[in-house]
Amino acid sequence: MNDRMTFDPTRRSLLRSMIGGSMLLPGIVSQLLAEDAAPSNPADPLAPKPTHFPPKAKRVIFLYMSGGVSHIDSWDPKPKLFADAGKTVPVNEFQGRKGDYKMFLKRPQWEFAPHGKSGTEVSSLFPHVAECVDDLCVIRSMKSDHTNHYEATLGIHTGSFTFARPSIGSWVSYGLGTVNRNLPSFVVIAPQSPYAGGQVWGSDFLPGAHQGTLVVPGPEPVANIQRRAASSRLQELELGAMSRLNQRHLASRADDPLLTARMKSFETAFGMQAEMPEVFDLSKESDATLKLYGLERGSTKGFAWQCLVARRLAEHGVRFVELIDVGSSGNWDAHGDMLTHAPLAKNIDQPIAGLLRDLKQRGMLEDTLVVWTTEFGRTPFNAASDAKGREHHHWVFSSWLAGAGVKPGITFGESDEYGINVGKDPVHVHDFHATILHLMGLDHERLTYRHTGRDYRLTDVHGNVVRDILA
Amino acid sequence: MSAVCRLRCLGLALAVVVGASADRAFAESDSDFFEKKIRPLLAERCGSCHSAAKGKTRGGLALDTREGWQQGGDSGAAIVPGKPEESLLIRAVRYRDDGPQMPPKEMGGKLAEAEINLLVDWVRRGAPDPRTTAARIGGATLDDARKWWAFQPVRPTTPPIVKESNWPRTDIDRFVLAELEQRGLTHADNADKRMLIRRATFDVTGLPPSPDEIEAFLRDESPGAFEAVVDRLLGSPAYGQRGARHWLDVVRYADFHDGDPKARNPVCEPLEAWRYRDWVVESFNRDLPFDQFLVHQIAGDLLPAPDGKEPNTDGLIATTFLVNGAWDRGDADKEKMVSDMVDDQIDTVGKAFLGLTLGCSRCHDHKFDPVTQSDYYALAGIFYSTRMLKELGTKGGEITLQRRPLVPREVVEKRDQQVKQIAEWNAKLAELDKQSPKPPADDPARLELVAQRDRLQKELPPEPPATLAVSEGGVPGGLFPGIQDVPIHIRGSYTRLGDVVPRRMPSFFAGDRQPPIASGSGRRELAEWVASKENPLTARVIVNRVWQWHFGAGLVRTPNNFGMLSEPPSHPALLDWLAAKFVEDGWSLKRLHRRIMLSATYQLSSKVDGRGLMVEGQKQHGEAAAPSSPSTLNTQPSTTLDPDNRWLGQFTARRLEAEAIRDAMLFVTGKLDPATGGPASDNLAIARRSLYVQTARWDRSNFATLFDAANPDASDEKRNVSTVAPQSLFLLNHPFALDQAQLLADRLIREVPGDTPNVEAARIQLAYHLLFSRPASDEELAIARQVMAQTAEPTAESGWTDLAHVLLCSNEFIYID
């Protein structure tokens, strides 16, 4: 699918309507139209940039589940863990503390069954997504570096487990720019703040234009998007006058990219006021589509709304859409009781399946990469034999990829017999990131930014593309 | 091959040649003797603690290279060739009583007599040692580190002779002009007076000049007119507010963690941080010498009060610097969190004062700079021996920040006594009431007790004011609860501990001037070492920051990193000259500002037809040429000689910072409340300066962040300048922006009454003077009138509001030339 084709009609008609409505703005409008034809402006951080090699994916929808989803209760079947529950295993570290521990194996809460033609086993925690397994590449050998939420959340987003660094969405925006100047290149939809807060979508040392724009489900999903001028025409008059004053100001100064970029940012803002609400307006979506996601008409609640809006943002040319299901509390952090996974799974299961099906039926799954992940898994064992929950577990966990350039209907990597360590083909967070960038046509070793005298990368000095899962 | 690289290679070649000629050629037997007897002995019995290759140089001594023992450790050269009796190494292996005894007992104890004799024999032979591998310390060879500009003492420099001798106003200009002339570049014209006063006023106070101030400056034709403006500005209270904001970026200041006042947990929120912010404002305003400013922040709790009365409130408040950092306070692993706090302190002290990324050595030796992991844990010992928390807290629970009262101990003790007394009486009352039968309500003993209690309760003074502050001794209940040296944390984790490192300053930098830590944590010694005139980094680092505050970029463009991977200064001699003058002036920041602002360089125009003009007929040096890019292809080559204005041929125009944008809006509407001090507000709509609108670490979606305010998670050396649509959306649609437009319109209408002749033009002119420090041109008047005519619905007032909105959104309002 071509980005231009999907958003051009809206954009062109919007621009034309602007020409029709005003004589003060033609300069702006013709600039915007001209930009469609000649999109490169070196002073503009969001100007489209060439990839390092032909990409498989043009956009990413990154689904992040906050708190640590249990791998052994969802994507990673461990028959021996069912069989040996209650027995003890020796462990040399527990929740970040070294030592010799004896831990009790805990039985998974949900039963596994093979699904689809591929026969990939998924637990009954995710019945709807299980029906889509033939489109998924489930990675059962993910590894992270830290046992705490904050660090692990930072790690899965930025590749750094200690310091704030640019998030993966910012790196993609920096590497590729945007294809729609009326929308940000990186959008994050989060009902609550996750661990590490805004650092999760921060651009850190990358130019601020690459920071994720936060959308909070509700009446005004993007801050200040609602036009407060009495009418669109009045605002055009204002912008037209401002443009003339700015032109005069610019004329007496050397060509300063900041000045021109700022003039453009008002034009983009003007466009966003029209296009953003259009993206968030679900009234033209059919009943069948809403049903697919399990979304009640008019509701902005839950992951269903997030997933449907993600599809619409992707259609409108947003490069990187991240959905965060819940915040830093009331999440998947099931220390007390594994059954708290059930309502959280229900919130995301049908919407994700709906998103995958919807993308597929629109032909968008071919060049859209869908990523599902969490910051770490949960321990297959506990200190007490009767514990109902599970603790943090970063030695191995599960994630999956679907869509553009990824082998569908496969599993990759293995954990050991109980799901305690990686058994085969480890995929560290850095490898995961390198692979996502690769699918976007970016070489993770060449996507660098110079900061305080050093070239920084998303993958620091690590990362290998997991070639075995590339289609 | 770059010039620098060529020089380095040349240096290396020279060193080899010198090395070969200086040491006599080895007799075959010497070489054999070393290889067969000495090398294995050194490796086996000394190598586990004294190996540069392994990154273990206990006491700063490496014995696996020749340079290692030549340079020696903390006690100086280890061997005097030919003189065993004077060689520390020999004294140590002989277990002499008056010095170190090596190898120590836990490493196998004293060498065999035969082994000692071998070493003595070797030294007597002149200690022939063919191992020429360069000694390394951390990430650099000793040789390279000693040559690195920033690690050398500040050099005395004299201003160079220049051709255009009538241009320089001060010595700064001579340094700048010499570089321009050498590159065949010329400078812009002087800024006109309006541009200059607008620039200087925003620079020093973060606010625009008032029309009256501009008028007064225009009328003052004396040669000292600008000097008078600078002095007025530096003397205004707004200077401290502006300077403090710069400094707060560097020290990762935040008012709170949580942006939501209702969600804040008082035990772990830095609720009293504002006292530190106010102390910084005041320190700038009374020009507290920077060395003292610095010592206060690291060790203010250990300083006597200037008036001799305890407590030293300023000293205590200043140490909030150490504890107002970002770490994951709520996570399960409290020991990890304490180690993160120590890391935050080392990182911030390193970057803010020394321009060193010391935090890089938490897990391993520094990759580029002469800083070892041992250096890091030598410093960590100092901070681990400092109490930052009242309590460690329990797993999953909250920490309790340490608060220290700002009143004398007797006052606190008296109040504590009273509180205790009240509690006792309450307990007694409760006991009485538990008796059966319960005494009657009018029981005289009971009544007396109640009366006593109530009397004391009434007398009880309110809880004394307190500040976040540190004290000596570690965090109670933690791994390091007292004053102690700490072990290396292998790979940065407290769960894997290595050798204990004595507390000390980083060995390369302190050299043989290690201040002894006699008692206490060592913070005071650290503070004084950092603030010392001899420290090559401290003065250079702050002088460079102040330069950046004025020019937008420092002479060193990585102000938090003067290490070996940073870009060297554009004007090294100027930097050293400024640093030397600064120290001479008693570390006065105000004098430094003044010195910079009175230079012709500062007073150049930003408006030139291109940047870094080229003198006719001269060719450009390769290194300053701009990379060709599509935007420059169509322009004349002469306009792109110095696109980054590295050589300061003009002033760089720049956008105002977030706080200055908001403050300027409030200023031009006439509503700005200039009051200083007090806790921060969570309300953007208040009329106070932005310094007093809260910064919260967990809230990254507010006005200030939108306009690139510093991220308070770590020291911020330089703000980004992003230009994104959400900023424009804020100015177009946020109620704060619309309110300011309304208030500005009200002011125009109020101050230019309707019966004024030519009222429309007069109001537009007032707006231009307020916002842009200049009159409007005829064409601008026409545009403004057109806006008015087209938008003056439903009322004429709404036309003024629309015009005000347009002007507040315009580029000219938020850029300074």
Side-chain angles (χ1 to χ4, degrees):
Chain A
M1 196 193 70
N2 183 308
D3 290 313
R4 299 240 76 82
M5 277 166 56
T6 45
F7 92 89
D8 257 2
T10 352
R11 179 181 168 86
R12 291 240 160 219
S13 61
L14 171 80
L15 295 178
R16 284 207 196 88
S17 76
M18 285 159 64
I19 298 175
S22 159
M23 291 313 290
L24 268 175
L25 264 179
I28 296 178
V29 176
S30 59
Q31 262 182 34
L32 290 174
L33 283 169
E35 192 188 311
D36 281 354
S40 103
N41 170 7
D44 175 3
L46 286 174
K49 285 191 213 115
T51 53
H52 295 142
F53 38 79
K56 289 290 196 315
K58 290 191 173 149
R59 63 197 79 80
V60 180
I61 298 178
F62 191 94
L63 312 172
Y64 167 68
M65 308 302 124
S66 175
V69 180
S70 171
H71 55 301
I72 42 189
D73 291 279
S74 56
W75 307 104
D76 196 3
K78 290 293 148 200
K80 212 157 176 312
L81 185 58
F82 281 89
D84 292 349
K87 291 187 185 167
T88 59
V89 283
V91 174
N92 62 10
E93 188 186 325
F94 190 57
Q95 300 313 291
R97 294 237 181 212
K98 300 274 177 205
D100 293 320
Y101 303 96
K102 264 200 163 38
M103 290 286 158
F104 296 92
L105 293 171
K106 176 177 161 57
R107 191 181 195 279
Q109 211 88 30
W110 290 270
E111 302 287 337
F112 283 78
H115 290 272
K117 285 188 198 141
S118 60
T120 300
E121 284 190 59
V122 182
S123 86
S124 56
L125 190 59
F126 295 126
H128 287 91
V129 184
E131 290 170 25
C132 301
V133 282
D134 286 346
D135 291 317
L136 306 189
C137 162
V138 179
I139 304 174
R140 289 173 172 160
S141 53
M142 290 287 294
K143 263 177 83 73
S144 176
D145 281 355
H146 212 285
T147 183
N148 284 348
H149 291 292
Y150 178 95
E151 286 87 348
T153 302
L154 204 59
I156 196 78
H157 284 94
T158 70
S160 162
F161 293 85
T162 41
F163 312 105
R165 292 270 187 262
S167 90
I168 181 168
S170 300
W171 280 107
V172 166
S173 170
Y174 161 68
L176 302 176
T178 186
V179 285
N180 182 351
R181 293 311 318 254
N182 284 344
L183 294 175
S185 53
F186 172 22
V187 174
V188 180
I189 311 182
Q192 293 129 34
S193 183
Y195 297 106
Q199 288 177 23
V200 160
W201 55 86
S203 56
D204 198 50
F205 50 72
L206 292 176
H210 303 299
Q211 180 180 313
T213 297
L214 177 64
V215 169
V216 181
E220 194 176 62
V222 177
N224 306 310
I225 198 73
Q226 211 170 316
R227 192 188 59 234
R228 298 254 160 44
S231 68
S232 176
R233 162 141 183 88
L234 183 64
Q235 196 176 50
E236 281 178 61
L237 283 166
E238 286 192 17
L239 289 172
M242 196 198 309
S243 174
R244 285 167 67 192
L245 295 174
N246 284 341
Q247 288 289 358
R248 286 184 47 79
H249 178 252
L250 182 67
S252 65
R253 280 155 185 83
D255 185 26
D256 186 337
L258 280 175
L259 295 173
T260 43
R262 187 159 185 272
M263 289 162 73
K264 190 167 282 292
S265 79
F266 274 95
E267 293 156 15
T268 308
F270 183 77
M272 276 174 74
Q273 291 176 132
E275 192 156 346
M276 271 299 214
E278 208 272 319
V279 175
F280 291 104
D281 177 10
L282 306 185
S283 64
K284 294 200 184 71
E285 294 287 342
S286 69
D287 289 342
T289 303
L290 294 182
K291 208 176 152 208
L292 196 58
Y293 289 81
L295 182 64
E296 212 173 290
R297 190 168 288 283
S299 167
T300 58
K301 289 208 178 76
F303 212 57
W305 184 84
Q306 291 174 258
C307 281
L308 181 51
V309 170
R311 191 213 81 211
R312 293 178 63 90
L313 285 164
E315 277 179 326
H316 282 73
V318 175
R319 281 282 184 206
F320 199 103
V321 182
E322 170 160 358
L323 308 184
I324 302 177
D325 65 334
V326 282
S328 57
S329 60
N331 57 31
W332 298 82
D333 195 21
H335 290 287
D337 188 352
M338 280 313 296
L339 288 178
T340 55
H341 266 29
L344 293 159
K346 192 163 188 300
N347 176 43
I348 63 162
D349 183 39
Q350 189 185 347
I352 292 176
L355 174 64
L356 290 168
R357 291 187 176 119
D358 201 13
L359 290 172
K360 203 168 181 184
Q361 75 192 12
R362 286 164 197 264
M364 288 174 71
L365 199 55
E366 284 165 33
D367 55 10
T368 304
L369 176 66
V370 182
V371 179
W372 183 96
T373 191
T374 175
E375 71 263 37
F376 44 53
R378 308 209 71 83
T379 48
F381 47 73
N382 276 308
S385 60
D386 58 348
K388 292 168 82 181
R390 297 186 189 279
E391 314 287 328
H392 305 172
H393 194 69
H394 68 281
W395 302 345
V396 68
F397 63 104
S398 300
S399 304
W400 55 256
L401 301 173
V406 179
K407 277 184 193 157
I410 65 159
T411 64
F412 181 80
E414 289 172 13
S415 60
D416 61 17
E417 53 185 2
Y418 295 127
I420 295 174
N421 283 300
V422 172
K424 200 179 139 196
D425 297 330
V427 178
H428 188 274
V429 166
H430 297 307
D431 306 324
F432 194 60
H433 288 161
T435 309
I436 294 170
L437 291 185
H438 178 87
L439 289 163
M440 299 296 290
L442 297 169
D443 177 347
H444 71 104
E445 295 186 350
R446 282 156 68 197
L447 183 65
T448 62
Y449 189 85
R450 198 155 187 86
H451 170 64
T452 57
R454 199 193 128 184
D455 282 333
Y456 281 84
R457 291 173 16 195
L458 171 60
T459 51
D460 195 4
V461 294
H462 312 283
N464 291 300
V465 174
V466 186
R467 301 209 172 256
D468 290 342
I469 65 169
L470 304 179
Chain B
M1 198 187 245
S2 76
V4 174
C5 180
R6 229 180 288 134
L7 269 178
R8 288 237 174 99
C9 295
L10 189 64
L12 212 64
L14 271 176
V16 171
V17 173
V18 171
S21 62
D23 295 344
R24 64 193 171 91
F26 294 115
E28 185 61 28
S29 59
D30 278 354
S31 176
D32 268 5
F33 175 71
F34 179 83
E35 292 300 340
K36 284 186 186 145
K37 312 278 189 204
I38 303 301
R39 188 197 283 265
L41 179 58
L42 290 175
E44 209 166 293
R45 297 304 313 274
C46 316
S48 43
C49 300
H50 299 287
S51 161
K54 288 184 194 159
K56 285 193 177 170
T57 51
R58 296 287 296 275
L61 177 64
L63 289 175
D64 58 344
T65 65
R66 184 175 54 186
E67 290 85 348
W69 58 256
Q70 283 176 337
Q71 159 74 9
D74 300 344
S75 336
I79 293 171
V80 183
K83 297 182 177 165
E85 304 311 317
E86 292 169 32
S87 297
L88 288 173
L89 180 114
I90 299 300
R91 297 164 80 91
V93 298
R94 281 180 170 158
Y95 265 49
R96 293 279 294 265
D97 285 339
D98 56 349
Q101 300 179 338
M102 291 287 155
K105 300 226 164 46
E106 63 273 21
M107 299 304 294
K110 198 175 173 188
L111 300 176
E113 204 53 34
E115 290 172 321
I116 294 173
N117 288 339
L118 280 175
L119 288 173
V120 171
D121 191 18
W122 174 56
V123 173
R124 193 171 288 134
R125 286 172 180 233
D129 184 346
R131 300 170 304 170
T132 53
T133 328
R136 298 184 74 81
I137 179 158
T141 67
L142 220 41
D143 209 31
D144 282 351
R146 287 200 186 110
K147 283 186 197 144
W148 181 248
W149 71 272
F151 304 159
Q152 296 179 3
V154 172
R155 285 153 301 178
T157 50
T158 40
I161 309 289
V162 290
K163 285 181 222 150
E164 193 189 343
S165 57
N166 61 344
W167 180 69
R169 269 180 230 223
T170 70
D171 286 340
I172 289 176
D173 304 321
R174 282 180 254 280
F175 286 105
V176 170
L177 186 59
E179 293 290 343
L180 285 169
E181 286 179 346
Q182 203 194 330
R183 285 171 174 74
L185 299 167
T186 184
H187 56 79
D189 293 335
N190 293 338
D192 66 45
K193 284 181 104 173
R194 289 182 188 279
M195 189 191 271
L196 193 55
I197 190 171
R198 183 175 165 81
R199 174 189 303 167
T201 310
F202 268 120
D203 233 14
V204 177
T205 67
L207 298 169
S210 72
D212 290 346
E213 288 163 354
I214 299 167
E215 201 45 46
F217 181 47
L218 292 179
R219 260 189 274 118
D220 184 352
E221 287 173 6
S222 70
F226 185 61
E227 199 171 338
V229 168
V230 170
D231 287 339
R232 171 175 60 77
L233 293 171
L234 288 172
S236 80
Y239 159 72
Q241 295 171 319
R242 169 75 166 172
R245 189 55 262 173
H246 284 311
W247 185 250
L248 298 178
D249 283 11
V250 176
V251 298
R252 44 97 181 93
Y253 174 88
D255 293 296
F256 308 106
H257 295 305
D258 203 314
D260 176 4
K262 289 194 278 302
R264 282 177 204 142
N265 183 341
V267 303
C268 53
E269 280 280 353
L271 296 180
E272 298 85 359
W274 60 270
R275 292 188 194 277
Y276 169 79
R277 178 247 285 140
D278 288 352
W279 172 78
V280 174
V281 173
E282 203 198 301
S283 299
F284 269 81
N285 274 338
R286 61 189 174 94
D287 202 18
L288 180 67
F290 185 77
D291 54 347
Q292 291 181 39
F293 181 63
L294 179 170
V295 170
H296 272 75
Q297 291 173 76
I298 299 177
D301 58 316
L302 307 176
L303 300 176
D307 57 3
K309 289 184 199 142
E310 292 301 320
N312 179 357
T313 52
D314 278 2
L316 287 175
I317 290 168
T319 65
T320 299
F321 160 79
L322 290 172
V323 292
N324 191 6
W327 49 83
D328 193 21
R329 58 179 212 200
D331 225 314
D333 189 343
K334 288 290 180 282
E335 297 294 353
K336 156 87 170 44
M337 198 205 60
V338 172
S339 74
D340 286 348
M341 292 180 78
V342 166
D343 184 60
D344 166 75
Q345 291 163 346
I346 294 176
D347 185 61
T348 310
V349 167
K351 287 176 177 166
F353 297 121
L354 295 167
L356 287 176
T357 52
L358 296 174
C360 290
S361 302
R362 181 182 190 176
C363 308
H364 47 69
D365 283 356
H366 201 285
K367 293 286 185 207
F368 312 109
D369 290 338
V371 181
T372 62
Q373 202 183 0
S374 300
D375 288 331
Y376 180 97
Y377 286 96
L379 287 173
I382 294 175
F383 291 111
Y384 269 121
S385 301
T386 298
R387 182 173 180 179
M388 324 163 254
L389 298 178
K390 183 164 177 245
E391 283 157 18
L392 191 57
T394 51
K395 175 182 169 172
E398 286 292 7
I399 55 161
T400 305
L401 288 171
Q402 178 170 242
R403 269 117 180 148
R404 296 186 62 183
L406 293 168
V407 295
R409 180 184 304 227
E410 311 86 74
V411 177
V412 178
E413 277 168 1
K414 185 176 171 208
R415 187 177 184 279
D416 285 350
Q417 200 55 47
Q418 290 169 318
V419 169
K420 205 169 137 205
Q421 181 66 66
I422 292 171
E424 269 168 26
W425 284 334
N426 275 335
K428 223 177 222 174
L429 280 169
E431 208 145 285
L432 279 177
D433 289 348
K434 256 192 272 166
Q435 286 173 356
S436 68
K438 214 171 144 184
D442 58 356
D443 175 66
R446 192 179 182 285
L447 281 182
E448 174 57 24
L449 210 51
V450 169
Q452 270 179 334
R453 183 203 55 190
D454 289 351
R455 210 177 311 128
L456 193 56
Q457 185 77 54
K458 221 172 141 193
E459 276 173 22
L460 188 70
E463 218 174 305
T467 182
L468 297 172
V470 301
S471 55
E472 290 285 79
V475 176
L479 266 184
F480 306 109
I483 286 179
Q484 69 270 289
D485 298 331
V486 303
I488 286 184
H489 298 14
I490 295 163
R491 295 185 62 193
S493 168
Y494 74 88
T495 60
R496 293 183 61 204
L497 300 177
D499 295 339
V500 172
V501 187
R503 280 163 291 142
R504 57 166 169 75
M505 312 302 133
S507 57
F508 172 82
F509 295 95
D512 51 12
R513 294 191 309 276
Q514 277 287 354
I517 299 172
S519 63
S521 63
R523 263 188 303 120
R524 177 138 196 192
E525 290 80 359
L526 172 66
E528 280 164 4
W529 176 74
V530 174
S532 138
K533 281 180 199 172
E534 276 75 47
N535 192 309
L537 290 158
T538 312
R540 280 183 177 129
V541 167
I542 183 61
V543 160
N544 186 60
R545 283 192 206 284
V546 173
W547 188 274
Q548 175 182 292
W549 298 345
H550 286 292
F551 287 90
L555 298 170
V556 177
R557 296 201 176 188
T558 51
N560 272 0
N561 184 5
F562 278 36
M564 296 177 68
L565 209 65
S566 66
E567 203 179 72
S570 53
H571 299 73
L574 172 57
L575 183 65
D576 277 9
W577 184 84
L578 285 167
K581 286 277 174 210
F582 177 64
V583 172
E584 252 175 65
D585 276 350
W587 304 76
S588 160
L589 288 173
K590 283 197 180 182
R591 287 190 195 184
L592 176 60
H593 289 296
R594 204 169 178 279
R595 176 169 289 127
I596 291 172
M597 294 177 78
L598 294 182
S599 70
T601 306
Y602 178 77
Q603 296 173 39
L604 286 175
S605 175
S606 67
K607 285 198 213 175
V608 286
D609 185 16
R611 294 166 171 234
L613 299 178
M614 186 173 66
V615 174
E616 279 301 310
Q618 287 209 27
K619 265 278 180 211
Q620 175 53 28
H621 285 242
E623 59 188 23
S628 62
S629 69
S631 71
T632 57
L633 285 180
N634 297 331
T635 51
Q636 295 299 312
S638 66
T639 64
T640 57
L641 290 178
D642 185 16
D644 292 341
N645 197 24
R646 197 82 221 266
W647 304 111
L648 302 163
Q650 66 174 99
F651 196 82
T652 304
R654 60 181 188 266
R655 194 195 74 192
L656 293 174
E657 302 86 350
E659 294 83 354
I661 293 172
R662 182 179 167 280
D663 292 353
M665 289 172 96
L666 288 166
F667 186 88
V668 299
T669 63
K671 294 292 176 195
L672 181 73
D673 171 3
T676 55
S681 167
D682 63 330
N683 182 4
L684 184 72
I686 59 165
R688 297 194 62 192
R689 295 198 67 171
S690 306
L691 184 65
Y692 306 107
V693 176
Q694 72 178 26
T695 315
R697 292 200 170 86
W698 299 348
D699 174 15
R700 302 295 293 152
S701 51
N702 53 56
F703 166 80
T705 312
L706 181 61
F707 286 89
D708 307 304
N711 181 345
D713 282 343
S715 173
D716 195 325
E717 61 179 3
K718 187 171 192 283
R719 292 193 180 185
N720 269 326
V721 180
S722 73
T723 305
V724 293
Q727 294 167 346
S728 304
L729 286 171
F730 179 95
L731 292 172
L732 287 176
N733 295 329
H734 193 281
F736 178 82
L738 298 173
D739 284 350
Q740 302 319 306
Q742 175 73 58
L743 290 166
L744 176 59
D746 292 349
R747 178 175 188 180
L748 299 179
I749 294 167
R750 192 175 61 243
E751 293 191 8
V752 184
D755 53 7
T756 312
N758 211 352
V759 60
E760 203 175 60
R763 283 178 185 164
I764 296 169
Q765 290 295 2
L766 174 59
Y768 264 70
H769 281 286
L770 285 169
L771 271 70
F772 309 138
S773 314
R774 67 175 178 89
S777 69
D778 288 348
E779 198 187 330
E780 286 161 339
L781 277 174
I783 294 172
R785 283 201 166 104
Q786 207 177 335
V787 175
M788 300 283 303
Q790 286 172 313
T791 62
E793 290 165 14
T795 62
E797 279 74 19
S798 72
W800 285 108
T801 305
D802 289 328
L803 178 64
H805 193 200
V806 167
L807 298 179
L808 288 170
C809 289
S810 71
N811 279 350
E812 188 167 355
F813 181 59
I814 66 165
Y815 279 84
I816 41 172
D817 284 311

